[in-house]
Amino acid sequence: MSQTLHIDPVTRVEGHLSIQVDVTDGAVSQAWSVGESFRGFEAILIGRSPLDAQQVTQRICGVCPVEHGIASVLAQDQAYGLTPPDNGRLLRNIMEAANFIQSHILHFYTLSAIDFIDIAAVLNYQGSDGGLSYLKGWIKSQLNSTSYYPVAPFLPRYDAQYLDSLDLNCAILRNYLRALEARTDASKLCALFGGKLPHVASLVPGGATQKVDERQIQEGLILIRRLRDFVDNAYIPDVKSVAKAFPSYFNLGRGCEAFLAYGVFPEDNAGNQLLPRGVLNDWALETMDPATITEDVMYSWFSSGSHLHPSVGETVAAPDKAGAYSWVKAPRYDGEVMEVGPLARVLVNYAANSNAKLKALVDGLLAELGRPLTDLASVMGRHAARALECKVIADRVEDWLNTLVPVQDGYVAFTIPASGQGVGLTEAARGALGHWLQISNSVVSRYQCVVPTTWNTSPRDDLGQPGPIEQALVGTPIADPANPIEAVRVVRSFDPCLSCAVH
Ligand code: NFE
Ligand code: MG
């Protein structure tokens, strides 16, 4: 017997995502991922000064603005022939890393933990709850309110099997509150060198405009040490606890098992990165070649050419196009479906053995859980990879802060050429991010963004191959079609941001 479920909207993701699944004999047999809005940032930039790009593209998203700004200035660095000085490279890394940290903490606690915490058990518990009484009182008062969304984000939600342990439920809910403060610290760290957040002001082609002083470095160190403490003593232990309580989720949401990373956080001007680029296909490491990237639009609401490289890409909206079902394009690497994100970065790094600390963290986790590496291609593997890379990044930020040289310039001067082109490849919290820029008559003549969630929520491509989330959903058992919690757990493990995906 088969039935079709519409999960629309998928809540606790950024932007407007709708998921449709056919459930046959108790499991998902087919899935469709639908981006429900169009934004048009690529068109907005045409005819404007390229210098607007790092400001305009940051407005694609309030969660990952810095990464869009970085991709844009990297594309301009290439177009103008610039190499940032060390301080500029370090400042960019610190701002981008701070944005990663706040985003990963947001994803686990604010967006995903409620899929696992037994809210009712915490509300009904009468004993000492270690600081939760205010939150419980608030939820209870809202339960009696007549507002349309009684206690969002906590309720309503799907009935499901949640965490058994009352202590664990209370502990993670307490850390849910602490996570809000941790995200504030991460945003302060970014704003310390970016001037403001969201949408930092100091990113420019050639580096970053902030001229740091000793006070800023000390303030940054205080913030990153608090964040490292939260990651070590709350985030990673909580993810491990959830992983141990839901072992079956290491076998759910496997997906396309092909992974792409552009690499991020340059450690020098010679191409070395904290988390390097690469492709993992059939669990074998390959060199990443951006020339093979294309975007298909057969099933997307665009009338522009399909299977184009982003350097010649087009974005022409066609809301009435027959056969299309999403505003998300379908990026492919050498024609293949690729998952991007923390799991991709961690697996590429593991295969390349390029970061000893990250490899040791992964080995330690696998030993603790008694699982093979391949089990990380799963719902729980994505949560775990995000937490472990968060530690590696947060630890490294402290080194970068200590390497900044006070008062030294963070950027080099530049002139905008009358014509030119460039590509900025980096990683956002959610995965591989690229901006392709073309300049004619000193203004932007083409601007194409291929964004992490464009990869992960992509619809079927010209060959009919489903996108990564569509593939990850297939096979997922749905115990109760009225409460498809298993499906949303799979979707949320990718941390989709549709605002970015449809840009
Ligand atoms: Ni709107 Fe973003 C990140 C980017 S996701 S959050 O991370 O780029 O597509
Ligand atoms: Mg695009």
Side-chain angles (χ1 to χ4, degrees):
M1 206 197 84
S2 186
Q3 92 182 86
T4 301
L5 307 181
H6 295 269
I7 305 172
D8 182 12
V10 179
T11 56
R12 280 188 273 113
V13 302
E14 167 56 30
H16 306 283
L17 172 66
S18 154
I19 293 290
Q20 185 181 321
V21 289
D22 283 352
V23 178
T24 308
D25 299 329
V28 174
S29 52
Q30 286 200 84
W32 293 266
S33 159
V34 180
E36 298 188 295
S37 64
F38 175 64
R39 304 191 60 212
F41 276 83
E42 292 159 342
I44 289 170
L45 284 165
I46 307 295
R48 301 186 70 116
S49 163
L51 275 183
D52 289 351
Q54 76 269 14
Q55 285 307 323
V56 171
T57 58
Q58 284 193 72
R59 271 71 183 174
I60 288 172
C61 186
V63 183
C64 65
V66 182
E67 291 97 314
H68 284 289
I70 296 274
S72 181
V73 292
L74 287 173
Q76 292 180 71
D77 286 353
Q78 198 178 83
Y80 311 163
L82 308 173
T83 303
D86 284 348
N87 261 20
R89 175 178 54 77
L90 293 164
L91 286 168
R92 286 180 179 181
N93 282 355
I94 292 164
M95 288 188 273
E96 192 170 11
N99 208 144
F100 265 64
I101 297 165
Q102 78 79 19
S103 182
H104 283 3
I105 293 171
L106 163 79
H107 176 257
F108 181 68
Y109 288 100
T110 311
L111 303 180
S112 296
I114 297 169
D115 279 346
F116 301 102
I117 300 172
D118 190 339
I119 301 289
V122 178
L123 286 181
N124 292 332
Y125 178 56
Q126 302 294 330
S128 162
D129 53 23
L132 287 174
S133 52
Y134 175 78
L135 182 68
K136 284 165 65 175
W138 179 80
I139 294 176
K140 284 177 179 168
S141 73
Q142 294 295 304
L143 276 173
N144 298 323
S145 115
T146 54
S147 89
Y148 183 64
Y149 298 105
V151 276
F154 299 100
L155 296 169
R157 60 176 183 166
Y158 293 132
D159 288 333
Q161 179 71 40
Y162 292 110
L163 284 166
D164 281 337
S165 156
L166 182 67
D167 283 350
L168 204 50
N169 278 303
C170 287
I172 298 180
L173 200 54
R174 270 194 294 276
N175 286 337
Y176 175 102
L177 296 176
R178 288 181 64 209
L180 300 174
E181 292 164 11
R183 288 184 55 221
T184 305
D185 279 345
S187 292
K188 280 182 183 168
L189 175 59
C190 192
L192 194 57
F193 302 110
K196 63 187 269 289
L197 205 81
H199 316 129
V200 297
S202 68
L203 282 174
V204 287
T209 55
Q210 188 64 256
K211 203 171 255 193
V212 296
D213 60 30
E214 194 55 50
R215 176 198 60 84
Q216 281 173 307
I217 295 170
Q218 292 308 320
E219 214 171 310
L221 287 169
I222 290 168
L223 292 165
I224 197 61
R225 284 171 191 155
R226 280 214 297 261
L227 284 163
R228 290 180 59 201
D229 178 62
F230 183 81
V231 172
D232 287 344
N233 298 310
Y235 184 19
I236 289 179
D238 286 348
V239 170
K240 284 184 179 175
S241 297
V242 171
K244 287 173 185 169
F246 291 88
S248 65
Y249 278 86
F250 277 104
N251 304 112
L252 290 187
R254 184 159 288 275
C256 59
E257 288 185 82
F259 303 95
L260 166 69
Y262 292 162
V264 66
F265 305 124
E267 295 283 17
D268 52 33
N269 294 326
N272 291 304
Q273 296 164 306
L274 177 66
L275 301 174
R277 63 188 72 81
V279 169
L280 197 69
N281 213 344
D282 292 328
W283 298 90
L285 188 66
E286 297 172 8
T287 306
M288 198 275 293
D289 177 9
T292 72
I293 295 165
T294 53
E295 285 194 303
D296 287 6
V297 296
M298 181 179 279
Y299 293 95
S300 312
W301 284 303
F302 299 101
S303 59
S304 27
S306 197
H307 209 66
L308 299 176
H309 187 266
S311 63
V312 292
E314 304 163 356
T315 304
V316 182
D320 300 319
K321 179 173 163 182
Y325 67 91
S326 179
W327 284 108
V328 179
K329 293 184 183 179
R332 296 293 182 259
Y333 179 86
D334 203 12
E336 298 208 46
V337 181
M338 290 278 153
E339 173 174 345
V340 301
L343 178 63
R345 289 189 287 264
V346 166
L347 291 178
V348 163
N349 267 274
Y350 191 92
N353 201 2
S354 47
N355 187 306
K357 182 183 235 173
L358 187 52
K359 186 162 190 302
L361 285 167
V362 172
D363 284 334
L365 178 86
L366 295 175
E368 189 176 336
L369 299 172
R371 294 197 167 270
L373 181 73
T374 48
D375 276 7
L376 291 182
S378 63
V379 169
M380 277 308 149
R382 291 187 190 96
H383 287 292
R386 203 171 276 116
L388 297 185
E389 83 158 12
C390 194
K391 173 174 172 56
V392 169
I393 294 167
D395 288 358
R396 189 71 181 132
V397 168
E398 183 157 345
D399 303 329
W400 291 330
L401 283 164
N402 281 317
T403 314
L404 284 169
V405 181
V407 197
Q408 203 174 72
D409 273 340
Y411 68 100
V412 291
F414 60 87
T415 48
I416 299 173
S419 64
Q421 55 188 10
V423 54
L425 299 181
T426 184
E427 293 277 329
R430 286 157 194 74
L433 170 66
H435 286 195
W436 280 259
L437 161 71
Q438 193 180 73
I439 301 167
S440 311
N441 300 319
S442 302
V443 297
V444 175
S445 52
R446 188 192 306 272
Y447 205 98
Q448 288 283 306
C449 310
V450 183
V451 179
T453 301
T454 316
W455 287 94
N456 286 337
T457 63
S458 83
R460 282 149 177 76
D461 57 32
D462 292 4
L463 299 175
Q465 301 180 98
I469 287 181
E470 294 179 333
Q471 291 193 28
L473 280 163
V474 172
T476 303
I478 306 290
D480 171 10
N483 287 284
I485 179 79
E486 301 91 341
V488 291
R489 282 172 174 161
V490 169
V491 173
R492 291 200 186 104
S493 72
F494 285 85
D495 191 5
C497 171
L498 273 290
S499 304
C500 275
V502 299
H503 52 275

